[in-house]
């Protein structure tokens, strides 16, 4: 097992390198980079035009690059803007400089937020951790027991009615549930039971410990509910089908013939085999919920988390933030994937990764 862990940890290095390289190449080809946006803002202030880069006009050349919309700007000023954003160096040199900084966990400073990337991530992380952790926890606590109940009652009225609810949950995106919850329970058209903005109330610091806990979950109730309803269907059906597949196997019939009770068969034999595929999907579910899945939820409920930060950074071409978050969450995803593989051995000790790779 130790050999397998070391091998997987070493594979993280080329994986990270490849992901960063591919995204770096793609971003170099994308128009409207930070230099162009800085020039557009200067033109908007100095020339009285909009801050959008115009498709016509003169070109100002500096080094190996040309920028439209820079009419009236001194080429030396354009060169200084390039230097400030690090674009006075060739792309390969910028890439290797970025990698060397990342080895020291130095992700640089945001182009447009006047803050270090690490500080921005740490500032936004509590919101995303709250949404991702509680949504994933509740989703698994609901989906796994429900999936097991559906498998053991396959074809019953309970299975049919819950399948109807699951189809509705699968068909409607989480953000539509979020809008519906706001209309119903956040003062949209009916009841005003839950807050609409933020993770805590303005008077949070003055509340007692119990009051702070209640206020925290009061603010999380609607966004977490929207995420759970919008994402629990797939896991529930996966659990049901996995258990149904195991229940129909010969070893279950043999265990029953030996006089074991149904609960002993289900939780002593079927459970650990059926749960393997569910554990395999946990890393992707956790990272997706933690990082990308909550973007629209953060926007709808005015929660300033990592999903919103990543979206705004990509739109604004804030490359240090984009690549810093890409590096951190790719690394986190790979480590969580490794943790998921190791959890296999806890559920079923018969699994030996070392022997499988030899």
């Amino acid at each position: 097992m130790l050999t397998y862990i070391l091998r997987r940890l070493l594979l993280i290095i080329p994986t990270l390198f490849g992901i960063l390289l591919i995204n770096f190449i793609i971003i170099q080809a994308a128009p409207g980079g930070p230099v162009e946006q800085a020039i557009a803002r200067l033109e908007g202030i100095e020339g009285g035009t909009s801050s959008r880069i115009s498709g016509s006009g003169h070109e100002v050349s500096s080094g190996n690059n040309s920028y439209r919309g820079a009419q009236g700007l001194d080429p030396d000023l354009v060169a200084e803007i390039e230097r400030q954003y690090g674009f006075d160096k060739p792309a390969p040199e910028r890439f290797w400089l970025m990698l060397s900084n990342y080895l020291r966990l130095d992700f640089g400073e945001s182009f447009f937020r006047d803050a270090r990337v690490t500080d921005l991530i740490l500032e936004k992380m509590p919101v995303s951790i709250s949404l991702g952790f509680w949504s994933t926890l509740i989703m698994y606590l609901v989906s796994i027991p429900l999936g097991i109940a559906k498998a053991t009652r396959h074809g019953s009225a309970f299975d049919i009615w819950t399948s109807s609810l699951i189809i509705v949950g699968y068909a409607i995106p989480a953000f539509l549930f979020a809008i519906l919850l706001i209309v119903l329970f956040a003062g949209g058209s009916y009841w005003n039971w839950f807050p609409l903005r933020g993770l805590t109330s303005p008077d949070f610091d003055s509340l007692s410990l119990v009051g702070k806990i209640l206020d925290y979950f009061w603010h999380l109730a609607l966004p977490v509910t929207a995420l759970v309803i919008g994402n629990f269907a797939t896991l529930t059906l996966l659990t049901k089908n996995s258990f149904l597949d195991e229940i129909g196997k010969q070893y279950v019939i043999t265990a029953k013939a030996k006089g074991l009770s149904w609960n002993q068969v289900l939780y002593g034999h079927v459970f650990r085999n059926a749960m393997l595929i569910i554990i395999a999907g946990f890393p992707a579910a956790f990272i997706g919920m933690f990082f990308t899945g909550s973007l629209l939820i953060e926007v709808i409920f005015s929660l300033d988390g990592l999903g919103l930060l990543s979206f705004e950074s990509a739109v604004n071409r804030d490359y240090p933030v984009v690549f810093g978050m890409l590096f951190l969450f790719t690394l986190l995803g790979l480590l969580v994937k490794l943790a998921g593989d190791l959890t296999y051995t806890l559920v079923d000790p018969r699994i030996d990764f070392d022997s499988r790779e030899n």
Side-chain angles (χ1 to χ4, degrees):
M1 179 58 70
L2 181 60
T3 303
Y4 173 78
I5 295 174
L6 292 176
R7 187 184 298 117
R8 287 289 300 272
L9 290 175
L10 290 175
L11 284 174
I12 288 177
I13 298 175
T15 303
L16 275 174
F17 177 83
I19 291 174
L20 289 174
L21 177 61
I22 292 172
N23 282 273
F24 186 86
I25 293 173
I26 293 174
I27 281 182
Q28 299 309 302
V35 175
E36 288 91 334
Q37 295 201 22
I39 290 173
R41 284 197 297 272
L42 287 174
E43 283 294 300
I45 295 173
E46 296 177 4
T49 61
S50 71
S51 59
R52 178 174 56 87
I53 299 176
S54 173
S56 61
H58 305 291
E59 292 184 357
V60 173
S61 299
S62 176
N64 297 323
N65 299 314
S66 297
Y67 304 101
R68 288 192 174 273
Q71 62 269 28
L73 292 182
D74 188 341
D76 292 336
L77 177 58
V78 177
E80 176 62 21
I81 294 174
E82 282 186 313
R83 188 194 64 79
Q84 289 178 355
Y85 291 116
F87 281 79
D88 57 332
K89 302 179 180 66
E93 183 179 348
R94 296 202 309 273
F95 180 71
W96 288 112
L97 181 61
M98 180 184 73
L99 289 182
S100 64
N101 290 334
Y102 282 11
L103 290 175
R104 303 191 301 270
L105 297 181
D106 179 10
F107 304 110
E109 294 191 4
S110 169
F111 285 158
F112 307 114
R113 293 176 180 264
D114 193 26
R116 296 190 62 79
V117 174
T118 306
D119 295 336
L120 284 173
I121 293 175
L122 292 176
E123 178 187 346
K124 312 297 183 183
M125 192 170 287
V127 172
S128 294
I129 288 178
S130 296
L131 288 177
F133 174 78
W134 292 112
S135 299
T136 305
L137 178 63
I138 295 174
M139 185 174 68
Y140 270 75
L141 290 177
V142 171
S143 298
I144 292 177
L146 180 59
I148 296 174
K150 287 174 63 63
T152 56
R153 297 171 175 83
H154 180 61
S156 66
F158 171 81
D159 183 36
I160 295 173
W161 281 106
T162 53
S163 294
S164 302
L165 296 177
I166 288 172
I167 291 173
V168 173
Y170 183 79
I172 303 179
F175 74 90
L176 287 182
F177 275 116
I179 295 173
L180 176 62
L181 291 174
I182 289 174
V183 171
L184 291 177
F185 303 113
S189 299
Y190 296 92
W191 303 282
N192 188 15
W193 293 349
F194 295 94
L196 182 58
R197 296 178 179 274
L199 197 61
T200 57
S201 299
D203 60 343
F204 180 79
D205 293 334
S206 63
L207 298 176
S208 64
L209 177 60
V210 175
K212 289 180 179 179
I213 295 174
L214 293 176
D215 182 76
Y216 171 73
F217 285 107
W218 184 44
H219 282 76
L220 277 178
L222 293 187
V224 168
T225 300
L227 283 171
V228 170
I229 292 177
N231 293 279
F232 86 105
T234 301
L235 181 59
T236 301
L237 292 178
L238 178 65
T239 303
K240 175 190 174 182
N241 293 332
S242 179
F243 273 81
L244 276 178
D245 182 60
E246 293 295 326
I247 289 172
K249 291 184 176 179
Q250 182 63 41
Y251 74 88
V252 175
I253 299 175
T254 303
K256 289 180 180 179
K258 289 181 178 180
L260 295 179
S261 67
W262 174 239
N263 285 337
Q264 288 176 321
V265 174
L266 183 64
Y267 295 105
H269 295 78
V270 173
F271 184 82
R272 67 179 183 181
N273 295 323
M275 285 296 293
L276 288 177
I277 191 172
I278 299 168
I279 293 173
F282 174 77
F286 177 76
I287 295 299
M289 193 76 74
F290 178 70
F291 183 49
T292 58
S294 61
L295 169 59
L296 291 176
I297 299 299
E298 290 180 10
V299 173
I300 291 172
F301 289 98
S302 300
L303 297 171
D304 193 8
L306 291 174
L308 185 58
L309 175 64
S310 63
F311 173 75
E312 292 177 345
S313 299
V315 170
N316 294 328
R317 304 296 194 270
D318 198 345
Y319 294 158
V321 179
V322 171
F323 279 103
M325 296 185 67
L326 175 66
F327 177 86
L328 286 176
F329 283 96
T330 301
L331 178 61
L332 178 62
L334 293 172
L335 292 176
V336 171
K337 178 65 176 176
L338 174 59
D341 289 345
L342 296 179
T343 308
Y344 282 173
T345 60
L346 299 177
V347 177
D348 191 348
R350 296 171 298 175
I351 294 179
D352 186 356
F353 289 107
D354 287 328
S355 63
R356 289 176 62 187
E357 297 202 357
N358 292 330

